[in-house]
Structure formats: C-alpha cells, structure tokens
Amino acid sequence: MSELMKTIERIKKKNESLAARKGTKLPICILVDTSASMKDNDNITRLNEGLSIYREEMLKDPKTCDHIEVAIVEFGNRGTRLAVDFEDLREQRFPVFTAAGITPLCDAIEKGISALEEQLGIYSSQGIYFHPPHMIIMTDGEPTLSNQVDEEGYGIYLRSTDQEFKDTLKRFNKFKAEQGLVSITIGVGEGITDSFFLEQFASSPGNVLKMADQDNIVEFFKLLSRSTSVLTRAVPNPESRLDLVNDDSRGVVSPWNQIRS
C-alpha cells in the first residue's frame, strides 16, 4: 500500500473514531526521550511505568476518555517515530520502550507537529471544537543532530548554528503562532546543564521545567493525568492550557528559571 493510501486509511479511521466520541477535544502529543542515557537510574523503566499509569488514570474517567486525544513520539532507540497515533484512548496500546541511541530532538518535534497538524485538520473538517494543542517534551540529555554520529558512533551535539535547529524552530514558532500551541519542556535528572534548547521549544518561559529527582518521572505522569482531567472539563478557549506548576502539590517539577535564580 502506498504512503498516500495509508494516510487516507488512517484519516478515515480517525474520522470514524471521532464520530463515536462527541464533544470537545484536548490533543496532547508527548515526546519521550528513549536514548541510551535513559538507561541511567533505570529511567526507561520509570518512563514506561509513568506512561502506563497516565493511561490507566485517564481510563478511570469515561468523560475524560471522550475528550482526551494522546499521541506519543519517541526519539532515541529507534531513531524517531510516531509510536502512538491519536485515537480513542480506550483502543490505544502504549508500547514498552527500550533505551539506546542518540537524542534527535528536532526530528521528534517535527514529527510531533505533523501529528498535531493532521489531527487539528480532522477536527476542523468535522466542526469539532478543541483546546489549544499541547506538546510535552521530556528528555534527560543534550540534543543531538538527527541521523548523524561521529566516527566512534556517538551522537553529535546539536548547536544553535545548525540548519536543522533553525528549520525546526521556524516551523515550531509558526505552528505556535497559528494554532496557539502550548509546549512544555521537561529536563530530567542532572544530565542537562544548559536549558537553551528547552527554552527554545517551550511556548513560554514558565513552561521550561526541571525534574531533579528521576524518581519523579512516575509522579510526573500522575500530575499530568490530574491536570488533563481538569482541563478536559473546561470550555475551550485560546487561553485554556495545562498548568502543571500550579497543579503540582508534591514538588514534582520546578520552573527552570526559578532554579537558576
């Protein structure tokens, strides 16, 4: 089957799924780092557990299930791929991720935007109201160039002067301006010492978050589930968004700009 036919079939399936789930929608695309460094402190296991808990918490509430739309992009072990496409959460199956490879952040953001663009187009074609699209970016290391390694097989760190970064940032800013994207970036552990790229791909300075304790990965997804449930009950407007910092009563994350100050 050609790529065009696959796309047509995928969109047809999504349209049928949405027809059975009336009401407004909250599209969230979660970008997860599955690079080799995620083996440290067994972070990859914590990530899998957290994602599983997130889905389980959402499934407890049928109303939330009708309104939430989740996609997952992984970047690392298998390059970059859309591991979970938007669909009825009750029909989705989250994969068990393993850790290996580099950290192609820009490629992941490109795929995340493409997935969101397609989903918003489907909403518009059906006259479905939706909250601003959300992107959650979780990583534990410095980003690398996509599909490039050095002579020893290690990733080549991304630089602000690289064309790949400039192109992705341009597309990110365009999508944010046109669609009101809410992007939250989260640095996990102590492997990230420079928040520059996290800042570039967050929709506001307050959305650059730090998770110092890797044990909090699981707690983060519990926090995300609570915030998601709250937002799905709100009336969509350009200002509606997840507010993880104010919803965080357990100190799971901290705004990076507060840490630096």
Side-chain angles (χ1 to χ4, degrees):
M1 184 183 294
S2 69
E3 287 301 318
L4 177 59
M5 289 302 298
K6 289 179 181 178
T7 299
I8 292 172
E9 286 297 317
R10 185 177 67 251
I11 292 176
K12 179 182 177 182
K13 182 180 179 182
K14 288 184 177 184
N15 276 309
E16 292 171 349
S17 174
L18 286 167
R21 292 181 294 119
K22 303 297 183 181
T24 60
K25 297 292 178 279
L26 169 60
I28 301 178
C29 188
I30 305 173
L31 278 55
V32 294
D33 183 348
T34 60
S35 62
S37 59
M38 285 291 286
K39 294 177 183 177
D40 297 345
N41 198 43
D42 207 17
N43 284 342
I44 196 68
T45 298
R46 300 174 198 276
L47 172 65
N48 285 315
E49 182 182 353
L51 285 168
S52 177
I53 289 174
Y54 177 63
R55 180 174 179 272
E56 289 170 4
E57 290 298 311
M58 296 295 95
L59 289 174
K60 291 178 182 178
D61 189 339
K63 187 171 183 179
T64 296
C65 286
D66 284 336
H67 298 289
I68 183 65
E69 298 270 301
V70 178
I72 302 174
V73 173
E74 79 158 311
F75 57 106
N77 184 32
R78 302 183 185 182
T80 307
R81 69 183 182 112
L82 182 62
V84 177
D85 200 356
F86 290 109
E87 190 183 359
D88 186 338
L89 186 68
R90 288 159 289 210
E91 302 297 324
Q92 288 177 320
R93 294 294 179 268
F94 289 6
V96 176
F97 295 107
T98 55
I102 59 177
T103 314
L105 176 63
C106 287
D107 195 26
I109 291 170
E110 295 275 358
K111 283 186 170 56
I113 292 173
S114 292
L116 285 167
E117 284 178 336
E118 180 177 277
Q119 199 66 11
L120 298 189
I122 294 172
Y123 295 160
S124 296
S125 70
Q126 291 203 26
I128 295 173
Y129 291 103
F130 55 90
H131 295 272
H134 281 63
M135 181 181 289
I136 310 291
I137 305 171
M138 179 179 289
T139 181
D140 77 331
E142 302 295 338
T144 60
L145 291 172
S146 304
N147 304 315
Q148 293 188 49
V149 295
D150 63 20
E151 294 178 352
E152 296 181 352
Y154 292 105
I156 301 171
Y157 287 126
L158 186 70
R159 300 172 301 175
S160 62
T161 55
D162 289 324
Q163 192 62 44
E164 176 180 326
F165 165 69
K166 294 178 181 179
D167 291 345
T168 299
L169 183 61
K170 181 179 179 180
R171 185 182 181 193
F172 173 87
N173 285 331
K174 183 175 185 290
F175 184 66
K176 181 177 70 171
E178 293 177 348
Q179 300 294 343
L181 174 68
V182 178
S183 178
I184 302 169
T185 58
I186 303 156
V188 180
E190 303 302 327
I192 303 176
T193 57
D194 185 349
S195 62
F196 174 80
F197 290 107
L198 296 182
E199 293 170 7
Q200 304 310 303
F201 294 116
S203 55
S204 68
N207 282 356
V208 185
L209 307 180
K210 176 75 170 177
M211 190 187 307
D213 186 350
Q214 291 96 325
D215 294 345
N216 280 349
I217 292 177
V218 174
E219 290 300 321
F220 168 79
F221 282 103
K222 293 179 182 178
L223 166 64
L224 182 61
S225 70
R226 294 193 296 271
S227 291
T228 299
S229 294
V230 170
L231 187 53
T232 56
R233 284 165 166 73
V235 177
N237 67 78
E239 301 304 318
S240 62
R241 63 198 61 226
L242 295 173
D243 191 350
L244 298 179
V245 174
N246 286 331
D247 292 341
D248 182 10
S249 61
R250 303 179 185 179
V252 176
V253 293
S254 300
W256 203 302
N257 53 14
Q258 290 183 15
I259 295 172
R260 288 183 305 189
S261 60

